[in-house]
Amino acid sequence: MPRLMLLDTASLYFRAFYGVPDSIRRQDGTSVNAVRGLMDMIARLVTDYEATHLVACWDNDWRPQWRVDLIPSYKAHRVAEIVTGAPDLETVPDPLEAQIPLIRHVLDLAGIATVGVDDHEADDVVGTYASQADMPVDVVTGDRDLFQLVDDERDVRVIYTARGMKNLEVVTDVVVVGKYRVLPRQYADFATLRGDASDGLPGVAGIGEKTAASLLAGHGSLAGLLEAANDPAGGLSAAVRAKLEAAADYLKAAPAVVGVVRDLDVPTLTEAGAQLRPVTGRAREELTELAVDWNLGGAVKRLLAALDART
C-alpha cells in the first residue's frame, strides 16, 4: 500500500547532531555525527512505517521575511546574522553547518527527493504535500506546530520525535485531543493564543493552554472567538475580552505566521522522484566509498538495506 513520508529535515539533522556523539569523526577530524544519525533515522523510519514514497522537506528560508514582517519577534532569538536581500543566517553549531552539504549529497545519491521552496520553510512544504496527497501520510518532526496537519479522515499522522528515536510517538486526532483538548484543525489557533517562546511568538498575555483550549471549545476557532469578543452578548467575560483586545494587532498577524502554507507550487511526487527504490549503479558505489572515506560506518549499509527492501 502506498504511503508517503515527509521529513522535517532540519529538525531531524539537528536531533541527530545532538543525539550522536561528536567523537564520531572523519580521519581529518571533521564531524560526521549528523550525517550518520540522519541516515540511521531514515533507514529506521522507512522500514518501521513502511514508506513507499519519501520527501526530505527543506528550509529554503528558515525565517521568511513575510513572516517577520507580520511578527518581528518571529525566531529572532535564533538569528546569527541579519542578511539584506537574502535569508538571515541561523545560529547553527559550526560542526553541524559543515555537515549540511554532505547531508544533501548523501540524500541525492540515495535517490531521496529533497524539496524546498524559496521564501518558505520546510513546514510549508510539508503542509502542501500533506494536504494534497492522495495516499496516507506520515509527517516526521520534532515540531509540535505540525500537529495542525493531523487528520484521521485523510490518514495524515505525525511521527513525533521530541522524546528521541527510541520513544517515537504516533500522533493522531485522539492524541492531539488528549494532550491539548483541541482538535488538530484548531491547533494553529490554539498555538496562536498560547504563544510559543521557541518561535518568538508571544501569545495573548494571560491566556495559557487550558484557557486557550476552553475558549476554542466554546467558540470553535479564533475567528469565532474574536467575533464573540466584539459582541456584548458573546458570552465572554470582561477580563477575557480585555486580554484579546490588548493583543488585537498580534491576533491579526499571527494566524498567517503560525499556520503552515498548504498550496505552494511544488513538484508532483513523480516529478520530485519521491518513490523509494534500491540504489544501483554508480550512486551505490559512491555511497559505499563515502562510508569508508567519511567514516560513516554501518549507517550507509543500513540505509541501502532499507531502500533495497522498497521494491
Side-chain angles (χ1 to χ4, degrees):
M1 177 180 178
R3 178 170 287 275
L4 172 62
M5 179 168 283
L6 302 170
L7 305 182
D8 178 5
T9 314
S11 169
L12 296 185
Y13 65 61
F14 266 92
R15 178 162 294 281
F17 176 74
Y18 287 108
V20 177
D22 185 46
S23 57
I24 298 175
R25 295 170 177 256
R26 193 185 187 194
Q27 190 172 8
D28 65 2
T30 302
S31 296
V32 293
N33 56 337
V35 185
R36 283 179 56 157
L38 181 62
M39 284 192 291
D40 273 333
M41 286 178 179
I42 293 173
R44 177 185 167 186
L45 289 161
V46 165
T47 301
D48 288 358
Y49 297 99
E50 301 182 334
T52 60
H53 297 70
L54 179 68
V55 179
C57 302
W58 206 263
D59 282 321
N60 275 21
D61 190 340
W62 68 279
R63 187 176 183 248
Q65 187 60 46
W66 59 270
R67 281 191 165 107
V68 176
D69 289 343
L70 289 168
I71 298 182
S73 63
Y74 182 63
K75 295 185 178 180
H77 59 296
R78 289 158 53 184
V79 175
E81 181 182 344
I82 295 176
V83 180
T84 302
D88 293 336
L89 298 182
E90 185 179 10
T91 300
V92 178
D94 290 343
L96 173 56
E97 186 76 37
Q99 295 180 67
I100 294 175
L102 182 58
I103 288 171
R104 289 293 298 254
H105 186 48
V106 166
L107 292 174
D108 183 55
L109 288 174
I112 293 172
T114 303
V115 178
V117 175
D118 288 349
D119 301 319
H120 288 84
E121 302 172 54
D123 285 8
D124 301 315
V125 180
V126 170
T128 296
Y129 278 118
S131 299
Q132 299 178 6
D134 59 359
M135 64 182 75
V137 177
D138 286 330
V139 174
V140 185
T141 184
D143 183 356
R144 57 184 179 171
D145 284 346
L146 290 176
F147 290 175
Q148 64 189 273
L149 298 174
V150 171
D151 187 339
D152 283 3
E153 187 173 336
R154 296 189 59 251
D155 203 359
V156 178
R157 313 181 298 186
V158 165
I159 310 301
Y160 191 47
T161 65
R163 294 187 296 168
M165 292 298 293
K166 292 183 179 180
N167 295 288
L168 295 175
E169 181 177 17
V170 178
V171 179
T172 60
D173 286 10
V174 170
V175 174
V176 175
V177 172
K179 282 179 177 288
Y180 303 107
R181 297 191 300 159
V182 297
L183 295 167
R185 66 174 179 269
Q186 296 173 305
Y187 188 85
D189 287 346
F190 169 77
T192 295
L193 290 166
R194 176 201 63 202
D196 189 339
S198 67
D199 280 339
L201 299 172
V204 177
I207 293 182
E209 288 198 353
K210 290 183 179 180
T211 302
S214 177
L215 291 171
L216 290 172
H219 300 278
S221 66
L222 179 59
L225 175 61
L226 295 178
E227 184 178 344
N230 292 322
D231 180 357
L236 292 177
S237 69
V240 169
R241 284 203 302 271
K243 291 171 183 176
L244 295 174
E245 183 177 352
D249 291 342
Y250 163 77
L251 290 172
K252 288 178 183 177
V257 176
V258 177
V260 299
V261 180
R262 299 173 184 243
D263 58 357
L264 293 179
D265 183 11
V266 296
T268 66
L269 296 179
T270 300
E271 291 168 344
Q275 184 168 351
L276 295 172
R277 52 179 55 87
V279 181
T280 59
R282 180 56 192 156
R284 192 180 188 98
E285 293 174 6
E286 188 169 346
L287 271 175
T288 302
E289 291 166 4
L290 280 174
V292 176
D293 186 30
W294 284 84
N295 187 29
L296 299 180
V300 167
K301 291 181 181 179
R302 288 186 286 273
L303 178 59
L304 288 173
L307 296 175
D308 286 345
R310 302 295 98 195
T311 56

